[in-house]
Amino acid sequence: MMNSMIKENGVTFKELEKNIYAWVCQIGREFTKEFLERYDRMLMEDRDKKKYRNKGARQTTIKTVYGEVAYQRTVYEVIGEDGTRRFVYLLDETLELDQVGLISTNMAQLLVKGITELSYRECASQVSEMTGQTISAMGVWNVIQALGEKVCEEEAELTAEYRKGNVKGEKEAPVLFEEADGVYINLQGKDRKRQKQEKAEVKVGIAYEGWRKTGPDRYALENKVVVAGLSKAKEFQEYREAAIAQEFNLDEVSQRILNADGASWIKQVKDKSTCFQLDPFHRNKAVKEKIHEKAAQETIFELLREEETEELFRYLEIYRDSLSDDEERKDVEELIRYYENNREGLVPYQSQGLKLPEAREGLEYRSMGTMENHVWSVIAKRMKHGHRSWSVRGGNHLAKILAKKCSGKLCEVTERLRRPVFEEEKVEELYGEILMSAKAPKKDGKGYEYPAMGHVVGLEGKIQGDRKRLLHMAGY
């Protein structure tokens, strides 16, 4: 029946769907405009008239998931104690629209989720297709930078509080596992010249309590904390410690274990009481890069598995002395230096004589080495490949948002926007006023049906074209 009805009226279902969607978005925009302007009038009537002097109305536009909503709101003059004058919009302050500009929280959340998977251009295109809002790639970039600045401000505040000793998490873990690594991303032209280098290192750190079994041969890291950023070692370490302290009560941690590739910036952040383990991936990768004979590689791997550290160094020295090629000798010497600088971590933490307390119920202590996978999933997958390049500011902001996502805290990026700012009684009153101004329900006592005709539903003026077809099909 629906199919024949559509054909009779010359409308395909695809066109019908698009038209209805556009119509509903228009209803949403007009309802929102009406709601905001009425709420603004409530604020005007309830304001302190001595403090806020009415200076008339100004128009603005807010981007929502169902399109741009243009509305009028009142501007007020406020005179400070020192005699200075400033102008404020009570409605904007109530909505906290100064956080990321005139854009709704729902729209901001869609953009944040999209940008962690897609390029700015792709994210803008997809959001524009899925919502009633058209936004450009530059528009997405501006929102992400504004939100990224907020994340950086919160990190700086947290770090400052940590220095004062005011940060203590609620989670208690007897052992804390930590991993750190870095990944290089391409810099854009201006920053490439300013930094005098083509690439910059995004530092990544994770901390977790242990492993929880989630299925056959499948484990998940428990209470994972992920941080990332284009920052100097000291700055990164301070925030890393603050972020860990925000989740865990470090006074209750009896042992910290760090798995890393031995980079100098990582060793600078290693606490003296922390047990260090050289990351197995980087340890083995160095062998494959510096030792050119397959048989020698296998011997070295066997010595590493058997944890024969002294024998390993003796073998490397003998192997080096047996080579006649200067380049090969140089490679072996570099491997010896790398291993010597990380001698303490050549064996896994389980073999370093630690007396670890028992894990909490449901958790296990397993072999470390998840960092390379996290570097890929957190940063490299989105930022390193595909000939992408970044400004230092833009790359830093996106890295921090990606770290929030990996920690399961992506909502925190827009958390400040999600506050209960509308008074419930006023909202109900306005809903009633707006809906009463439209068509009354068809049947009393059968529940309210949203009005199909009325000045808030986008049906004013001459009914023609697609609107006429839709109304005819709906029985009007």
Side-chain angles (χ1 to χ4, degrees):
M1 180 177 179
M2 173 63 77
N3 190 44
S4 62
M5 183 173 65
I6 292 174
K7 288 181 178 178
E8 287 176 4
N9 290 276
V11 181
T12 66
F13 187 81
K14 181 179 180 180
E15 291 172 336
L16 176 70
E17 184 181 31
K18 291 177 67 175
N19 289 336
I20 290 176
Y21 181 71
W23 192 29
V24 171
C25 286
Q26 183 180 350
I27 293 171
R29 291 193 295 271
E30 295 188 11
F31 190 99
T32 302
K33 175 180 184 298
E34 186 81 10
F35 179 90
L36 292 176
E37 290 181 350
R38 290 187 184 224
Y39 201 93
D40 185 58
R41 287 196 290 273
M42 279 188 172
L43 293 174
M44 179 179 65
E45 293 169 0
D46 295 342
R47 79 186 192 280
D48 182 349
K49 294 181 175 60
K50 293 181 179 180
K51 181 178 179 181
Y52 297 99
R53 183 179 179 185
N54 190 332
K55 303 298 289 185
R58 303 289 188 276
Q59 181 166 305
T60 190
T61 302
I62 182 170
K63 294 182 183 295
T64 72
V65 292
Y66 40 83
E68 293 186 356
V69 177
Y71 62 96
Q72 297 271 348
R73 80 272 200 240
T74 308
V75 60
Y76 303 93
E77 181 185 58
V78 178
I79 301 178
E81 294 180 358
D82 57 355
T84 58
R85 296 192 308 166
R86 63 187 181 93
F87 296 90
V88 300
Y89 297 94
L90 291 180
L91 183 63
D92 288 4
E93 290 185 353
T94 300
L95 293 171
E96 296 185 348
L97 294 176
D98 59 328
Q99 296 290 327
V100 292
L102 296 176
I103 184 166
S104 72
T105 304
N106 290 327
M107 189 66 182
Q109 289 174 343
L110 279 178
L111 297 179
V112 168
K113 289 179 182 177
I115 204 60
T116 61
E117 300 287 344
L118 306 169
S119 69
Y120 286 101
R121 190 177 302 278
E122 291 168 336
C123 180
S125 175
Q126 190 170 103
V127 169
S128 297
E129 289 177 4
M130 293 174 59
T131 70
Q133 174 64 60
T134 300
I135 190 167
S136 66
M138 183 54 67
V140 177
W141 188 88
N142 288 333
V143 173
I144 297 302
Q145 301 319 305
L147 291 171
E149 287 291 347
K150 295 296 178 186
V151 173
C152 290
E153 289 173 8
E154 290 178 358
E155 289 187 1
E157 292 171 5
L158 177 63
T159 303
E161 290 301 309
Y162 174 74
R163 291 197 201 104
K164 298 175 184 177
N166 297 332
V167 179
K168 181 177 290 189
E170 296 180 356
K171 297 183 178 71
E172 295 185 358
V175 179
L176 196 60
F177 296 90
E178 304 170 50
E179 304 194 34
D181 202 353
V183 57
Y184 283 89
I185 59 172
N186 294 321
L187 290 177
Q188 291 179 349
K190 292 182 179 180
D191 280 347
R192 188 180 302 177
K193 292 179 181 178
R194 190 180 298 113
Q195 301 287 328
K196 296 182 180 179
Q197 57 186 24
E198 294 186 353
K199 296 178 181 289
E201 185 181 33
V202 179
K203 296 176 176 63
V204 185
I206 63 173
Y208 49 96
E209 186 180 350
W211 291 256
R212 184 179 294 278
K213 193 169 186 177
T214 58
D217 300 321
R218 291 181 63 84
Y219 292 85
L221 303 184
E222 183 79 356
N223 294 324
K224 181 169 60 176
V225 177
V226 183
V227 296
L230 281 163
S231 51
K232 295 180 180 180
K234 183 178 180 181
E235 178 185 344
F236 179 79
Q237 163 59 358
E238 284 185 334
Y239 173 62
R240 171 178 166 272
E241 285 293 312
I244 293 173
Q246 187 180 35
E247 295 295 323
F248 295 97
N249 183 350
L250 295 181
D251 293 338
E252 300 299 323
V253 177
S254 60
Q255 181 65 61
R256 298 176 71 168
I257 302 172
L258 174 64
N259 177 81
D261 66 355
S264 58
W265 69 266
I266 298 175
K267 286 202 163 185
Q268 288 175 9
V269 307
K270 186 171 75 72
D271 185 88
K272 292 181 179 179
S273 62
T274 299
C275 169
F276 173 71
Q277 171 188 294
L278 186 62
D279 181 61
F281 173 83
H282 290 90
R283 183 193 68 186
N284 297 341
K285 180 183 177 184
V287 175
K288 295 177 181 178
E289 290 178 346
K290 302 302 181 181
I291 305 298
H292 304 285
E293 292 184 13
K294 193 72 175 178
Q297 289 181 7
E298 292 300 327
T299 301
I300 294 170
F301 287 142
E302 179 64 24
L303 291 171
L304 287 170
R305 282 193 295 271
E306 297 295 327
E307 301 176 7
E308 297 287 350
T309 304
E310 297 303 324
E311 185 63 30
L312 170 66
F313 281 101
R314 280 195 293 269
Y315 177 83
L316 287 173
E317 290 172 358
I318 293 171
Y319 178 73
R320 177 199 60 196
D321 295 339
S322 70
L323 296 171
S324 57
D325 185 280
D326 289 341
E327 288 299 320
E328 289 187 14
R329 287 175 60 92
K330 182 180 178 181
D331 284 343
V332 178
E333 287 173 354
E334 289 180 1
L335 179 62
I336 292 174
R337 281 196 298 272
Y338 177 56
Y339 278 2
E340 187 63 52
N341 290 336
N342 298 284
R343 179 187 283 263
E344 60 180 312
L346 285 174
V347 296
Y349 76 91
Q350 296 97 324
S351 301
Q352 294 190 29
L354 301 176
K355 295 182 179 179
L356 300 180
E358 289 188 10
R360 286 196 302 110
E361 184 178 356
L363 298 185
E364 298 180 25
Y365 296 155
R366 295 172 54 82
S367 296
M368 300 178 71
T370 66
M371 198 63 223
E372 196 64 25
N373 178 59
H374 276 84
V375 164
W376 163 256
S377 61
V378 177
I379 301 297
K381 181 181 178 182
R382 175 64 181 85
M383 300 184 69
K384 185 174 181 179
H385 304 288
H387 304 288
R388 297 184 177 99
S389 60
W390 309 87
S391 67
V392 171
R393 176 172 174 262
N396 186 51
H397 290 164
L398 183 55
K400 293 184 180 301
I401 291 174
L402 290 169
K404 290 284 189 183
K405 179 183 179 182
C406 190
S407 294
K409 298 179 179 180
L410 191 60
C411 61
E412 289 185 1
V413 179
T414 54
E415 188 177 44
R416 284 188 176 184
L417 308 177
R418 297 187 285 115
R419 294 180 181 175
V421 295
F422 290 118
E423 294 181 29
E424 186 175 355
E425 291 183 0
K426 288 185 177 181
V427 170
E428 291 179 355
E429 180 181 343
L430 289 178
Y431 278 170
E433 288 181 5
I434 296 172
L435 293 176
M436 285 297 293
S437 66
K439 184 180 179 181
K442 293 180 180 179
K443 297 180 181 180
D444 293 331
K446 296 294 184 179
Y448 191 84
E449 294 184 18
Y450 195 84
M453 303 291 285
H455 77 283
V456 298
V457 296
L459 295 174
E460 305 95 324
K462 189 175 181 180
I463 299 176
Q464 57 185 355
D466 291 336
R467 184 179 296 175
K468 185 175 182 180
R469 293 178 186 176
L470 288 170
L471 285 172
H472 174 74
M473 293 169 64
Y476 290 93

Coordinates of all heavy atoms in Angstrom, one line a residue, residues 6 14 21 25 83 86 98 103 135 157 271 275 290 307 320 372 383:
I6 N 3.3 5.8 -2.8 CA 4.4 6.6 -3.1 C 4.5 6.8 -4.6 O 4.7 7.9 -5.1 CB 5.7 6.0 -2.6 CG1 5.7 6.0 -1.1 CG2 6.9 6.6 -3.2 CD1 6.9 5.3 -0.4
K14 N 13.2 7.1 -1.0 CA 14.4 7.9 -0.6 C 14.1 9.3 -0.5 O 14.5 10.0 0.4 CB 15.5 7.6 -1.7 CG 16.8 8.3 -1.5 CD 17.8 8.0 -2.5 CE 19.1 8.8 -2.3 NZ 20.1 8.5 -3.3
Y21 N 12.8 14.0 6.9 CA 14.0 14.4 7.8 C 14.2 15.9 7.8 O 14.4 16.5 8.8 CB 15.2 13.6 7.3 CG 16.4 13.9 8.2 CD1 16.5 13.4 9.5 CD2 17.5 14.7 7.8 CE1 17.6 13.7 10.3 CE2 18.6 15.0 8.6 CZ 18.6 14.5 9.8 OH 19.7 14.7 10.6
C25 N 13.7 18.4 11.0 CA 14.8 19.3 11.4 C 14.3 20.7 11.5 O 14.7 21.5 12.4 CB 16.0 19.2 10.4 SG 16.9 17.6 10.6
G83 N 34.0 51.0 38.0 CA 33.4 51.9 37.0 C 33.5 51.4 35.5 O 33.0 52.1 34.6
R86 N 30.9 46.6 30.9 CA 31.0 45.4 30.0 C 29.5 45.0 29.7 O 28.6 45.4 30.3 CB 31.7 44.3 30.7 CG 31.0 43.8 32.0 CD 31.9 42.7 32.7 NE 31.2 42.2 33.9 CZ 30.5 41.1 33.9 NH1 30.4 40.4 32.8 NH2 29.9 40.7 35.0
D98 N 30.0 30.1 25.7 CA 31.4 30.6 25.6 C 32.4 29.5 25.6 O 33.6 29.7 25.3 CB 31.7 31.7 26.6 CG 31.6 31.1 28.0 OD1 30.8 30.2 28.3 OD2 32.4 31.5 28.9
I103 N 27.9 26.5 19.5 CA 27.6 25.1 19.0 C 27.1 24.3 20.2 O 27.6 24.4 21.3 CB 29.0 24.5 18.5 CG1 28.7 23.2 17.9 CG2 30.0 24.5 19.5 CD1 29.8 22.7 17.0
I135 N 28.5 21.7 8.1 CA 29.7 22.2 8.7 C 30.9 21.9 7.8 O 31.0 20.9 7.1 CB 29.9 21.6 10.1 CG1 31.1 22.4 10.8 CG2 30.2 20.1 10.1 CD1 31.1 22.1 12.3
E157 N 45.7 22.5 35.3 CA 45.2 22.7 36.7 C 45.4 21.5 37.5 O 45.7 21.6 38.7 CB 43.7 23.0 36.5 CG 43.3 24.3 35.9 CD 41.8 24.4 35.6 OE1 41.1 23.5 35.9 OE2 41.4 25.4 35.0
D271 N 60.9 6.5 38.5 CA 61.1 6.7 40.0 C 62.1 5.7 40.4 O 62.2 4.6 39.9 CB 59.8 6.5 40.7 CG 59.9 6.7 42.2 OD1 59.7 7.9 42.6 OD2 60.2 5.8 42.9
C275 N 60.6 -0.7 39.3 CA 61.3 -1.8 38.6 C 61.2 -1.5 37.1 O 60.1 -1.3 36.5 CB 60.7 -3.1 38.9 SG 61.2 -4.5 37.9
K290 N 70.4 -4.9 14.0 CA 71.8 -4.7 14.1 C 72.6 -6.0 13.9 O 73.8 -5.9 13.6 CB 72.1 -4.3 15.6 CG 71.5 -2.9 15.9 CD 71.9 -1.8 15.0 CE 71.2 -0.5 15.4 NZ 71.6 0.6 14.4
E307 N 67.5 -16.0 29.8 CA 67.9 -14.9 30.8 C 69.3 -15.1 31.2 O 69.7 -14.8 32.3 CB 66.9 -15.0 32.0 CG 65.5 -14.8 31.6 CD 64.5 -14.9 32.8 OE1 65.0 -15.1 33.9 OE2 63.3 -14.9 32.6
R320 N 81.2 -9.7 17.6 CA 81.7 -8.4 17.1 C 83.2 -8.6 16.6 O 83.5 -8.1 15.5 CB 81.7 -7.3 18.1 CG 82.2 -6.0 17.7 CD 82.5 -5.1 18.9 NE 83.5 -5.8 19.8 CZ 83.7 -5.5 21.1 NH1 83.0 -4.5 21.6 NH2 84.6 -6.1 21.8
E372 N 53.5 -1.1 22.2 CA 53.5 -0.9 20.7 C 52.1 -0.9 20.1 O 51.7 -0.1 19.3 CB 54.3 -2.0 20.1 CG 54.8 -1.7 18.7 CD 55.7 -0.5 18.5 OE1 56.4 -0.2 19.5 OE2 55.7 0.1 17.5
M383 N 47.3 9.5 13.2 CA 48.1 10.7 13.0 C 49.4 10.5 12.2 O 49.9 11.4 11.7 CB 48.5 11.3 14.4 CG 47.3 11.7 15.2 SD 47.9 12.5 16.8 CE 48.5 14.0 16.2

